[in-house]
Amino acid sequence: MRTPGLLVLLVLVALAPLPLLVHSDFWLHFAIMTLYFGLLGQAWNLLGGYGGQRSFGHAAFFGTGAYAAAVLQVDFGVNPWACLVLAGLFGAAAGAVVGALSFRYGLRGSYFALVTLAFAEVFRIVADTVPFTGAGVGFQIPLKQAVANFQFHDKPGFYAVILALTALATALAWWIENSRFGAELVAVRENEDAARALGIDVNRTKLWAIVLSGALSGFAGSFYAQYFLYLDPRIAYGVEVSVTALLVPLIGGVGTVFGPLIGAVALRALNEVSGVITGGAPGLNLMLYGALLIVILAFVPDGLVSLGARLRASRPLGKLGHA
Amino acid sequence: MSHSRRSFSRRAVLAGAGAASVAVIGAPAILRAQAKSVKVGIIHPVTGGVSYSGTQGRAGATMAADDINAKGGIKSLGGAKIDAMLSDAQSKVDVAVSEIEKYNEAGVSAIVGGYASFICLATTQAAAKHDIPYVVDVGTDDRIVSAGLTNTFRFSPGYGVFVKTAVPALKEINAAAGSPAKTAVIVHEDSAFGTGTAGLLSKELPGIGIEVLDVIKHPTPTLDFNNIVLTIKAKNPDIIIPANYYNEYVILARTLLQQKVRPKAIYSVLGGGASQYKFVKEFPDAAKYIMDCNHWFNPKNPAALDLKKRTEAKDLFYTYEVFLNYTAVMLLADALERAASTDRAKITAALASSTWSGHFMPYGPTKFENGQNTGARAVNLQVQDNDIKVILPPEFASAKAVFPMPA
Amino acid sequence: MLQLQILLPAILNGLATGAVYALVALGLTLIYGVLHIVNFAHGSLLMLALYGVYFLYNLLGIDPYLALPIMVPAMFVLGYALQRTVIATASHGREENILLVTLGLSIIIDNLALYLWSADTRTINPSYAFETVDFGIAFIAVPKVVSFAGALVITGLLWLLIQRTDLGKAIRALARERQGAQLVGIDVEHIYAMSFGIGIACLGAAACLLLPSYYAHPGVGESFVVIAFTIVVLGGMGSFAGALVGGFVIGLTESLGGLFLGENLGKIGVFVIFIAILLFRPTGLFGQRA
């Protein structure tokens, strides 16, 4: 079922004036992190949801974008906003490398998942060794709050940026649902061999998907770097980013436009609730995420976004025989 | 005493957030001046790779807060008690930074702690975003006080001072024995503190006639030092110089013993386990004769010895994290007294102009330049007779260096 | 530089670790060979077993090697239960979902451990932990020698189980031909769960052998899962001999990598091998060509 473009537009426009209504730093941070999760999840969704190529190593693209943005602005004096764009390019390049190798050698399903995990780890180890990333010392972006520096004095500025990026990602997902490329991508997901028989260049389609996915992940990496001002190999390339990237769409609904956003809200809300109950003990929120994943896989395999449709479908038949 | 501190929870943040969004026009100044408590954020990595040190640090800080409250709190604020809001940095920078943000939302007046350099570098900066005064408890990386952050204060010395003390001391110790040591291997942990210390040492050691054969880095945590010890064995240096955190230091020392690698000296600079009573007690054979250049209290000061007794009565070892955190909180309390306010800017100003001498460290009165206490000093120690003795400088020494290590 | 004095101990250490890795991989390859499940939770379950051995030592004073008769059956039961209840139901049998379900399990287990026991590394300190056996040219720590011998013995026992018992016959039958096995009256669900259970029981044994020279920590699972998969893919999914050989290769790679490239970069060897095998020879050294 295609998502109407108008609906997408309405949702994004409705989110825009949030900072005018909410002044609490705490809630703005919640909104920012939710949109950030949404961006990361949408990136994964392009490749894993619409494309069916489920990667366990999206951190490889995220981290490359993050380091690119950080190193270029601190060591080479590149304007931080330009670094945002460059981060997308670097993320896309990382996607191209991983994709070219994996797809060329026909890796699919579990093998693809595992090889992406391995790539992310290789990147992490390299980042942990080479000097320009700061290696084990980590990389800090000096505090220089100014709009020109992509460092805002308060949260609304960051909110605007992440909303714009997530809107871009969401628009991209909508475009995939309505374009020829998207149709080919879904065909590849459903049955690779049949798609090939239909004349679709399977490898090139998958490659484009991973490149777009990598670019969006790179943007997310750049945003992270600007918001938190600190990176190290574990933050950039660690398992936590990769797992978050796949949890968000899987829980919200893979292969849908709003799935990643819904998943992001669900996970961040769960995070806050578990924090209140336990006082922020480490591990609890991720544990709940894992439990939620299994519950979703067992009972709502199409994700939370499908709950609405299922509830409607389960209502008794109306007058004319349809729900 | 437990009402003076609490685990920093989400509820506190939400309460702060709620209050912040409601309180727009300030209450009359008179009502606010008589605050019942001063909120101080106390952050340490009590879980994760450096958890032992973090836990010790938290113990020292909370003992100080309790002592202050027991003596009637901050008198210039009408007896306001220190409300120590504890949080766990989990040995991770991103977690620590989030906790600083939460402290800001909860309206703390100051923050103490961080312990590890890699944490402090980021937390001081995060606190600077909101102009919260920050007292670094240990964090020896000198970039912490050279980043131009006006909110940051460090009472104890950085690795620059340690290297400047350790290298001439080594020269003196070596010369006293006829200069038998000519080569060294440095082993360091790969985050800010270890890398910085190792870098400085590599530059300074050749100047005293010691050739650095190799500089070996490792991550925290590292649980297997076999390969590193094998490499050291092959190079056969006269001196091994470790700069790392507690767990790794202990495993390295034990592996050296196990593989029968006995250099002329193990001379650590900010060695994580070297001047630690826990190490000496649990592994006396591996700890014997290890020399260290590290933080230490004035052994002739009765207040320091009294705190030692009280710490050991709690079944804790009296380690540098304990007494450095204790003095950090005391330093803040002195500033609070002089500022007579919970206002962040006033506290920062009070810290900057501090000339506090009510401490038991072997330093003079405090004098902050760009956030670094220029009176801070390092001390040379050695494990002898199952105890840790000060061997240099002479005015605090209670023993002479034993060098080279007896076979 | 390449003195035998440091090379030989590194090789011996690598082989000793490799033997235990082989034991871990054996469980994984059995599970894949029979159930065609890519068990992403394998590392997490090993981590759980390590904590089990740790607490048995710390709270009850039971030596890790003596804990074998406790840990092996306990992990077997856990594995059997997990397969029968969680994995079989949540995945609805869809292969693509099984990987995700086991991923979900690994997330839960890893973070449950983090929540319950914090991120402090836990080591035990039995009296023999830092003693060495003098092999003339090298001192090898006692726990490593014991784990090497132990891993080989257990591998032998496992082989006997699979080759010489009725249970083993049923498992082999099911692995080869599911419908045929069903037709001759084999209770498929039960045997599946038995196989999973045996695979996890191997982790119980591995943990007992590993803890004296290693540590328990919630993140251990993540490191082990890739090592285990590398060995299984290297050796060939479903091949016992492959898991053994693969284990030694990876153990050596890790040890020599650390020696020559340093503690940080040395870890890259395993992942590079993993990627290379996946790309160029996914059936592994001993696996059957698909």
Side-chain angles (χ1 to χ4, degrees), chain B residues 47-48 51 190 219 223-224 227-228 230 234 254-255 258-259 283, chain C residues 3 6 119-120 125 130 132 139 141 144 215 255 258-259 263-264:
Chain B
T47 59
S51 60
D190 66 357
L223 276 298
D224 188 319
N227 282 338
I228 290 181
L230 285 174
R254 298 186 75 200
T255 312
Q258 175 199 64
Q259 294 292 317
F283 304 112
Chain C
Q3 295 154 295
I6 56 169
D120 301 351
N125 219 355
F130 268 86
T132 55
F139 299 114
K144 292 221 155 165
Y215 60 101
S255 181
L259 187 64
E263 291 298 314
N264 295 67

PDB file of all heavy atoms in Angstrom, chain B residues 47-48 51 190 219 223-224 227-228 230 234 254-255 258-259 283, chain C residues 3 6 119-120 125 130 132 139 141 144 215 255 258-259 263-264:
ATOM      1  N   THR B  47      31.296   1.887  36.347  1.00  0.00           N
ATOM      2  CA  THR B  47      31.223   0.588  35.679  1.00  0.00           C
ATOM      3  C   THR B  47      32.077   0.691  34.413  1.00  0.00           C
ATOM      4  O   THR B  47      32.389   1.785  33.959  1.00  0.00           O
ATOM      5  CB  THR B  47      29.786   0.218  35.271  1.00  0.00           C
ATOM      6  OG1 THR B  47      29.282   1.222  34.401  1.00  0.00           O
ATOM      7  CG2 THR B  47      28.878   0.089  36.470  1.00  0.00           C
ATOM      8  N   GLY B  48      32.448  -0.451  33.867  1.00  0.00           N
ATOM      9  CA  GLY B  48      33.230  -0.432  32.638  1.00  0.00           C
ATOM     10  C   GLY B  48      34.724  -0.588  32.880  1.00  0.00           C
ATOM     11  O   GLY B  48      35.170  -0.941  33.958  1.00  0.00           O
ATOM     12  N   SER B  51      36.422   0.941  36.034  1.00  0.00           N
ATOM     13  CA  SER B  51      35.452   1.026  37.123  1.00  0.00           C
ATOM     14  C   SER B  51      36.086   1.019  38.505  1.00  0.00           C
ATOM     15  O   SER B  51      35.544   1.628  39.426  1.00  0.00           O
ATOM     16  CB  SER B  51      34.455  -0.124  37.026  1.00  0.00           C
ATOM     17  OG  SER B  51      35.158  -1.347  37.109  1.00  0.00           O
ATOM     18  N   ASP B 190      46.013   3.138  25.238  1.00  0.00           N
ATOM     19  CA  ASP B 190      45.959   3.935  24.016  1.00  0.00           C
ATOM     20  C   ASP B 190      45.026   5.146  24.069  1.00  0.00           C
ATOM     21  O   ASP B 190      44.833   5.793  23.056  1.00  0.00           O
ATOM     22  CB  ASP B 190      45.576   3.050  22.821  1.00  0.00           C
ATOM     23  CG  ASP B 190      44.163   2.510  22.936  1.00  0.00           C
ATOM     24  OD1 ASP B 190      43.482   2.767  23.950  1.00  0.00           O
ATOM     25  OD2 ASP B 190      43.738   1.814  21.999  1.00  0.00           O
ATOM     26  N   PRO B 219      44.927  -1.370  24.076  1.00  0.00           N
ATOM     27  CA  PRO B 219      43.648  -0.787  24.454  1.00  0.00           C
ATOM     28  C   PRO B 219      43.307  -1.067  25.923  1.00  0.00           C
ATOM     29  O   PRO B 219      43.921  -1.909  26.561  1.00  0.00           O
ATOM     30  CB  PRO B 219      42.637  -1.486  23.537  1.00  0.00           C
ATOM     31  CG  PRO B 219      43.302  -2.705  23.045  1.00  0.00           C
ATOM     32  CD  PRO B 219      44.776  -2.554  23.219  1.00  0.00           C
ATOM     33  N   LEU B 223      43.361  -7.983  28.270  1.00  0.00           N
ATOM     34  CA  LEU B 223      43.418  -9.035  29.285  1.00  0.00           C
ATOM     35  C   LEU B 223      44.567 -10.002  29.103  1.00  0.00           C
ATOM     36  O   LEU B 223      44.818 -10.833  29.946  1.00  0.00           O
ATOM     37  CB  LEU B 223      42.104  -9.833  29.301  1.00  0.00           C
ATOM     38  CG  LEU B 223      40.959  -9.243  30.124  1.00  0.00           C
ATOM     39  CD1 LEU B 223      41.310  -9.142  31.577  1.00  0.00           C
ATOM     40  CD2 LEU B 223      40.526  -7.879  29.617  1.00  0.00           C
ATOM     41  N   ASP B 224      45.236  -9.910  27.978  1.00  0.00           N
ATOM     42  CA  ASP B 224      46.314 -10.859  27.707  1.00  0.00           C
ATOM     43  C   ASP B 224      47.552 -10.089  27.315  1.00  0.00           C
ATOM     44  O   ASP B 224      47.600  -9.478  26.257  1.00  0.00           O
ATOM     45  CB  ASP B 224      45.875 -11.795  26.578  1.00  0.00           C
ATOM     46  CG  ASP B 224      46.864 -12.933  26.382  1.00  0.00           C
ATOM     47  OD1 ASP B 224      48.077 -12.696  26.435  1.00  0.00           O
ATOM     48  OD2 ASP B 224      46.397 -14.055  26.153  1.00  0.00           O
ATOM     49  N   ASN B 227      51.802 -11.419  24.398  1.00  0.00           N
ATOM     50  CA  ASN B 227      52.564 -10.930  23.247  1.00  0.00           C
ATOM     51  C   ASN B 227      53.413  -9.721  23.602  1.00  0.00           C
ATOM     52  O   ASN B 227      54.567  -9.611  23.168  1.00  0.00           O
ATOM     53  CB  ASN B 227      51.613 -10.565  22.099  1.00  0.00           C
ATOM     54  CG  ASN B 227      51.145 -11.806  21.371  1.00  0.00           C
ATOM     55  OD1 ASN B 227      51.781 -12.841  21.412  1.00  0.00           O
ATOM     56  ND2 ASN B 227      50.014 -11.689  20.696  1.00  0.00           N
ATOM     57  N   ILE B 228      52.834  -8.813  24.396  1.00  0.00           N
ATOM     58  CA  ILE B 228      53.588  -7.620  24.771  1.00  0.00           C
ATOM     59  C   ILE B 228      54.814  -8.016  25.598  1.00  0.00           C
ATOM     60  O   ILE B 228      55.909  -7.508  25.371  1.00  0.00           O
ATOM     61  CB  ILE B 228      52.691  -6.646  25.553  1.00  0.00           C
ATOM     62  CG1 ILE B 228      51.652  -6.052  24.606  1.00  0.00           C
ATOM     63  CG2 ILE B 228      53.517  -5.550  26.207  1.00  0.00           C
ATOM     64  CD1 ILE B 228      50.722  -5.064  25.251  1.00  0.00           C
ATOM     65  N   LEU B 230      56.346 -10.862  25.565  1.00  0.00           N
ATOM     66  CA  LEU B 230      57.312 -11.530  24.684  1.00  0.00           C
ATOM     67  C   LEU B 230      58.141 -10.508  23.917  1.00  0.00           C
ATOM     68  O   LEU B 230      59.358 -10.664  23.753  1.00  0.00           O
ATOM     69  CB  LEU B 230      56.578 -12.450  23.700  1.00  0.00           C
ATOM     70  CG  LEU B 230      56.041 -13.760  24.270  1.00  0.00           C
ATOM     71  CD1 LEU B 230      55.214 -14.473  23.226  1.00  0.00           C
ATOM     72  CD2 LEU B 230      57.174 -14.644  24.738  1.00  0.00           C
ATOM     73  N   ALA B 234      62.199  -9.867  24.171  1.00  0.00           N
ATOM     74  CA  ALA B 234      63.109  -9.877  23.034  1.00  0.00           C
ATOM     75  C   ALA B 234      63.967  -8.620  23.000  1.00  0.00           C
ATOM     76  O   ALA B 234      65.131  -8.662  22.609  1.00  0.00           O
ATOM     77  CB  ALA B 234      62.315 -10.013  21.741  1.00  0.00           C
ATOM     78  N   ARG B 254      52.162  -9.017  36.510  1.00  0.00           N
ATOM     79  CA  ARG B 254      52.136 -10.440  36.816  1.00  0.00           C
ATOM     80  C   ARG B 254      52.671 -11.268  35.660  1.00  0.00           C
ATOM     81  O   ARG B 254      53.333 -12.284  35.873  1.00  0.00           O
ATOM     82  CB  ARG B 254      50.711 -10.875  37.162  1.00  0.00           C
ATOM     83  CG  ARG B 254      50.160 -10.189  38.397  1.00  0.00           C
ATOM     84  CD  ARG B 254      48.816 -10.754  38.773  1.00  0.00           C
ATOM     85  NE  ARG B 254      48.956 -12.059  39.388  1.00  0.00           N
ATOM     86  CZ  ARG B 254      47.972 -12.949  39.465  1.00  0.00           C
ATOM     87  NH1 ARG B 254      46.796 -12.675  38.958  1.00  0.00           N
ATOM     88  NH2 ARG B 254      48.175 -14.112  40.044  1.00  0.00           N
ATOM     89  N   THR B 255      52.357 -10.842  34.451  1.00  0.00           N
ATOM     90  CA  THR B 255      52.860 -11.590  33.293  1.00  0.00           C
ATOM     91  C   THR B 255      54.375 -11.470  33.198  1.00  0.00           C
ATOM     92  O   THR B 255      55.064 -12.436  32.854  1.00  0.00           O
ATOM     93  CB  THR B 255      52.201 -11.084  31.996  1.00  0.00           C
ATOM     94  OG1 THR B 255      50.801 -10.990  32.186  1.00  0.00           O
ATOM     95  CG2 THR B 255      52.482 -12.020  30.841  1.00  0.00           C
ATOM     96  N   GLN B 258      55.670 -13.873  35.580  1.00  0.00           N
ATOM     97  CA  GLN B 258      55.414 -15.238  35.111  1.00  0.00           C
ATOM     98  C   GLN B 258      56.410 -15.654  34.035  1.00  0.00           C
ATOM     99  O   GLN B 258      56.884 -16.784  34.005  1.00  0.00           O
ATOM    100  CB  GLN B 258      53.987 -15.301  34.553  1.00  0.00           C
ATOM    101  CG  GLN B 258      53.611 -16.629  33.927  1.00  0.00           C
ATOM    102  CD  GLN B 258      52.412 -16.470  33.008  1.00  0.00           C
ATOM    103  OE1 GLN B 258      52.473 -15.777  32.002  1.00  0.00           O
ATOM    104  NE2 GLN B 258      51.330 -17.123  33.346  1.00  0.00           N
ATOM    105  N   GLN B 259      56.728 -14.725  33.130  1.00  0.00           N
ATOM    106  CA  GLN B 259      57.617 -15.041  32.040  1.00  0.00           C
ATOM    107  C   GLN B 259      59.070 -14.772  32.419  1.00  0.00           C
ATOM    108  O   GLN B 259      59.949 -14.798  31.562  1.00  0.00           O
ATOM    109  CB  GLN B 259      57.241 -14.215  30.794  1.00  0.00           C
ATOM    110  CG  GLN B 259      55.889 -14.570  30.222  1.00  0.00           C
ATOM    111  CD  GLN B 259      55.867 -15.965  29.606  1.00  0.00           C
ATOM    112  OE1 GLN B 259      56.790 -16.367  28.909  1.00  0.00           O
ATOM    113  NE2 GLN B 259      54.824 -16.723  29.887  1.00  0.00           N
ATOM    114  N   PHE B 283      49.173  -8.876  45.323  1.00  0.00           N
ATOM    115  CA  PHE B 283      50.231  -9.536  44.545  1.00  0.00           C
ATOM    116  C   PHE B 283      51.611  -9.021  44.964  1.00  0.00           C
ATOM    117  O   PHE B 283      52.323  -8.407  44.168  1.00  0.00           O
ATOM    118  CB  PHE B 283      50.007  -9.296  43.042  1.00  0.00           C
ATOM    119  CG  PHE B 283      48.654  -9.740  42.576  1.00  0.00           C
ATOM    120  CD1 PHE B 283      47.727  -8.813  42.162  1.00  0.00           C
ATOM    121  CD2 PHE B 283      48.312 -11.075  42.572  1.00  0.00           C
ATOM    122  CE1 PHE B 283      46.459  -9.211  41.738  1.00  0.00           C
ATOM    123  CE2 PHE B 283      47.051 -11.493  42.160  1.00  0.00           C
ATOM    124  CZ  PHE B 283      46.125 -10.548  41.745  1.00  0.00           C
TER     125      PHE B 283
ATOM    126  N   GLN C   3      62.784 -13.864  16.396  1.00  0.00           N
ATOM    127  CA  GLN C   3      63.473 -14.867  17.207  1.00  0.00           C
ATOM    128  C   GLN C   3      62.515 -15.982  17.561  1.00  0.00           C
ATOM    129  O   GLN C   3      61.361 -15.760  17.893  1.00  0.00           O
ATOM    130  CB  GLN C   3      63.983 -14.244  18.496  1.00  0.00           C
ATOM    131  CG  GLN C   3      65.040 -13.202  18.278  1.00  0.00           C
ATOM    132  CD  GLN C   3      65.037 -12.218  19.433  1.00  0.00           C
ATOM    133  OE1 GLN C   3      64.079 -11.504  19.634  1.00  0.00           O
ATOM    134  NE2 GLN C   3      66.104 -12.202  20.190  1.00  0.00           N
ATOM    135  N   ILE C   6      60.555 -15.708  20.853  1.00  0.00           N
ATOM    136  CA  ILE C   6      59.240 -15.110  21.013  1.00  0.00           C
ATOM    137  C   ILE C   6      58.222 -15.706  20.051  1.00  0.00           C
ATOM    138  O   ILE C   6      57.033 -15.719  20.320  1.00  0.00           O
ATOM    139  CB  ILE C   6      59.250 -13.565  20.855  1.00  0.00           C
ATOM    140  CG1 ILE C   6      59.843 -13.149  19.503  1.00  0.00           C
ATOM    141  CG2 ILE C   6      60.006 -12.924  21.971  1.00  0.00           C
ATOM    142  CD1 ILE C   6      59.626 -11.677  19.228  1.00  0.00           C
ATOM    143  N   ALA C 119      29.546  -3.557  33.640  1.00  0.00           N
ATOM    144  CA  ALA C 119      30.551  -3.769  32.605  1.00  0.00           C
ATOM    145  C   ALA C 119      31.939  -4.000  33.165  1.00  0.00           C
ATOM    146  O   ALA C 119      32.924  -3.906  32.449  1.00  0.00           O
ATOM    147  CB  ALA C 119      30.575  -2.574  31.668  1.00  0.00           C
ATOM    148  N   ASP C 120      32.038  -4.297  34.450  1.00  0.00           N
ATOM    149  CA  ASP C 120      33.365  -4.580  35.001  1.00  0.00           C
ATOM    150  C   ASP C 120      33.834  -5.920  34.482  1.00  0.00           C
ATOM    151  O   ASP C 120      33.073  -6.871  34.407  1.00  0.00           O
ATOM    152  CB  ASP C 120      33.301  -4.672  36.531  1.00  0.00           C
ATOM    153  CG  ASP C 120      32.773  -3.388  37.140  1.00  0.00           C
ATOM    154  OD1 ASP C 120      32.623  -2.405  36.401  1.00  0.00           O
ATOM    155  OD2 ASP C 120      32.508  -3.388  38.352  1.00  0.00           O
ATOM    156  N   ASN C 125      40.917 -15.990  40.041  1.00  0.00           N
ATOM    157  CA  ASN C 125      42.338 -16.082  40.349  1.00  0.00           C
ATOM    158  C   ASN C 125      42.727 -17.376  41.039  1.00  0.00           C
ATOM    159  O   ASN C 125      43.256 -17.359  42.145  1.00  0.00           O
ATOM    160  CB  ASN C 125      42.708 -14.897  41.240  1.00  0.00           C
ATOM    161  CG  ASN C 125      44.053 -14.372  40.851  1.00  0.00           C
ATOM    162  OD1 ASN C 125      44.722 -14.938  39.999  1.00  0.00           O
ATOM    163  ND2 ASN C 125      44.451 -13.309  41.493  1.00  0.00           N
ATOM    164  N   PHE C 130      48.635 -18.179  37.131  1.00  0.00           N
ATOM    165  CA  PHE C 130      49.842 -17.582  36.563  1.00  0.00           C
ATOM    166  C   PHE C 130      51.038 -18.521  36.625  1.00  0.00           C
ATOM    167  O   PHE C 130      52.162 -18.121  36.333  1.00  0.00           O
ATOM    168  CB  PHE C 130      50.161 -16.250  37.264  1.00  0.00           C
ATOM    169  CG  PHE C 130      49.552 -15.067  36.552  1.00  0.00           C
ATOM    170  CD1 PHE C 130      48.249 -14.678  36.824  1.00  0.00           C
ATOM    171  CD2 PHE C 130      50.267 -14.369  35.594  1.00  0.00           C
ATOM    172  CE1 PHE C 130      47.677 -13.602  36.158  1.00  0.00           C
ATOM    173  CE2 PHE C 130      49.694 -13.290  34.923  1.00  0.00           C
ATOM    174  CZ  PHE C 130      48.398 -12.910  35.212  1.00  0.00           C
ATOM    175  N   THR C 132      53.359 -21.571  35.203  1.00  0.00           N
ATOM    176  CA  THR C 132      53.644 -21.965  33.827  1.00  0.00           C
ATOM    177  C   THR C 132      54.181 -23.377  33.757  1.00  0.00           C
ATOM    178  O   THR C 132      54.699 -23.919  34.723  1.00  0.00           O
ATOM    179  CB  THR C 132      54.705 -21.042  33.203  1.00  0.00           C
ATOM    180  OG1 THR C 132      55.849 -21.039  34.039  1.00  0.00           O
ATOM    181  CG2 THR C 132      54.179 -19.638  33.050  1.00  0.00           C
ATOM    182  N   PHE C 139      57.623 -20.730  28.147  1.00  0.00           N
ATOM    183  CA  PHE C 139      56.785 -20.955  29.323  1.00  0.00           C
ATOM    184  C   PHE C 139      55.352 -20.745  28.881  1.00  0.00           C
ATOM    185  O   PHE C 139      55.000 -19.670  28.436  1.00  0.00           O
ATOM    186  CB  PHE C 139      57.077 -19.914  30.416  1.00  0.00           C
ATOM    187  CG  PHE C 139      58.485 -19.935  30.909  1.00  0.00           C
ATOM    188  CD1 PHE C 139      59.329 -18.866  30.676  1.00  0.00           C
ATOM    189  CD2 PHE C 139      58.975 -21.022  31.618  1.00  0.00           C
ATOM    190  CE1 PHE C 139      60.629 -18.868  31.143  1.00  0.00           C
ATOM    191  CE2 PHE C 139      60.279 -21.034  32.083  1.00  0.00           C
ATOM    192  CZ  PHE C 139      61.106 -19.954  31.848  1.00  0.00           C
ATOM    193  N   ALA C 141      51.377 -20.779  30.123  1.00  0.00           N
ATOM    194  CA  ALA C 141      50.567 -20.759  31.340  1.00  0.00           C
ATOM    195  C   ALA C 141      49.785 -22.056  31.479  1.00  0.00           C
ATOM    196  O   ALA C 141      49.252 -22.584  30.497  1.00  0.00           O
ATOM    197  CB  ALA C 141      49.624 -19.570  31.305  1.00  0.00           C
ATOM    198  N   LYS C 144      46.336 -22.531  29.873  1.00  0.00           N
ATOM    199  CA  LYS C 144      46.319 -22.712  28.430  1.00  0.00           C
ATOM    200  C   LYS C 144      46.606 -24.156  28.059  1.00  0.00           C
ATOM    201  O   LYS C 144      46.021 -24.710  27.126  1.00  0.00           O
ATOM    202  CB  LYS C 144      47.348 -21.796  27.766  1.00  0.00           C
ATOM    203  CG  LYS C 144      46.999 -20.346  27.881  1.00  0.00           C
ATOM    204  CD  LYS C 144      47.271 -19.576  26.610  1.00  0.00           C
ATOM    205  CE  LYS C 144      46.356 -18.396  26.610  1.00  0.00           C
ATOM    206  NZ  LYS C 144      46.449 -17.346  25.847  1.00  0.00           N
ATOM    207  N   TYR C 215      38.290 -13.841  30.670  1.00  0.00           N
ATOM    208  CA  TYR C 215      37.499 -13.043  31.601  1.00  0.00           C
ATOM    209  C   TYR C 215      36.044 -13.083  31.192  1.00  0.00           C
ATOM    210  O   TYR C 215      35.712 -13.477  30.082  1.00  0.00           O
ATOM    211  CB  TYR C 215      37.976 -11.586  31.605  1.00  0.00           C
ATOM    212  CG  TYR C 215      37.878 -10.889  30.266  1.00  0.00           C
ATOM    213  CD1 TYR C 215      36.841 -10.012  29.964  1.00  0.00           C
ATOM    214  CD2 TYR C 215      38.840 -11.103  29.279  1.00  0.00           C
ATOM    215  CE1 TYR C 215      36.766  -9.383  28.739  1.00  0.00           C
ATOM    216  CE2 TYR C 215      38.763 -10.472  28.052  1.00  0.00           C
ATOM    217  CZ  TYR C 215      37.728  -9.611  27.790  1.00  0.00           C
ATOM    218  OH  TYR C 215      37.671  -8.976  26.572  1.00  0.00           O
ATOM    219  N   SER C 255      47.015 -14.707  17.556  1.00  0.00           N
ATOM    220  CA  SER C 255      48.228 -14.594  18.358  1.00  0.00           C
ATOM    221  C   SER C 255      49.352 -13.930  17.571  1.00  0.00           C
ATOM    222  O   SER C 255      50.000 -12.995  18.043  1.00  0.00           O
ATOM    223  CB  SER C 255      48.650 -15.987  18.819  1.00  0.00           C
ATOM    224  OG  SER C 255      49.795 -15.880  19.613  1.00  0.00           O
ATOM    225  N   GLY C 258      48.624 -10.256  16.811  1.00  0.00           N
ATOM    226  CA  GLY C 258      48.911  -9.387  17.937  1.00  0.00           C
ATOM    227  C   GLY C 258      50.395  -9.149  18.108  1.00  0.00           C
ATOM    228  O   GLY C 258      50.835  -8.055  18.454  1.00  0.00           O
ATOM    229  N   LEU C 259      51.181 -10.184  17.844  1.00  0.00           N
ATOM    230  CA  LEU C 259      52.623 -10.067  18.022  1.00  0.00           C
ATOM    231  C   LEU C 259      53.231  -9.127  16.993  1.00  0.00           C
ATOM    232  O   LEU C 259      54.061  -8.279  17.307  1.00  0.00           O
ATOM    233  CB  LEU C 259      53.262 -11.458  17.903  1.00  0.00           C
ATOM    234  CG  LEU C 259      54.759 -11.544  18.235  1.00  0.00           C
ATOM    235  CD1 LEU C 259      54.965 -11.198  19.701  1.00  0.00           C
ATOM    236  CD2 LEU C 259      55.277 -12.937  17.947  1.00  0.00           C
ATOM    237  N   GLU C 263      48.677  -4.777  19.664  1.00  0.00           N
ATOM    238  CA  GLU C 263      47.424  -5.222  20.269  1.00  0.00           C
ATOM    239  C   GLU C 263      46.206  -4.609  19.605  1.00  0.00           C
ATOM    240  O   GLU C 263      45.121  -5.166  19.638  1.00  0.00           O
ATOM    241  CB  GLU C 263      47.411  -4.882  21.765  1.00  0.00           C
ATOM    242  CG  GLU C 263      48.398  -5.690  22.581  1.00  0.00           C
ATOM    243  CD  GLU C 263      48.114  -7.176  22.545  1.00  0.00           C
ATOM    244  OE1 GLU C 263      46.955  -7.549  22.701  1.00  0.00           O
ATOM    245  OE2 GLU C 263      49.062  -7.945  22.326  1.00  0.00           O
ATOM    246  N   ASN C 264      46.337  -3.408  19.033  1.00  0.00           N
ATOM    247  CA  ASN C 264      45.169  -2.758  18.431  1.00  0.00           C
ATOM    248  C   ASN C 264      44.899  -3.307  17.028  1.00  0.00           C
ATOM    249  O   ASN C 264      43.802  -3.765  16.731  1.00  0.00           O
ATOM    250  CB  ASN C 264      45.373  -1.251  18.344  1.00  0.00           C
ATOM    251  CG  ASN C 264      45.460  -0.624  19.714  1.00  0.00           C
ATOM    252  OD1 ASN C 264      46.391  -0.860  20.454  1.00  0.00           O
ATOM    253  ND2 ASN C 264      44.461   0.168  20.076  1.00  0.00           N
TER     254      ASN C 264
END
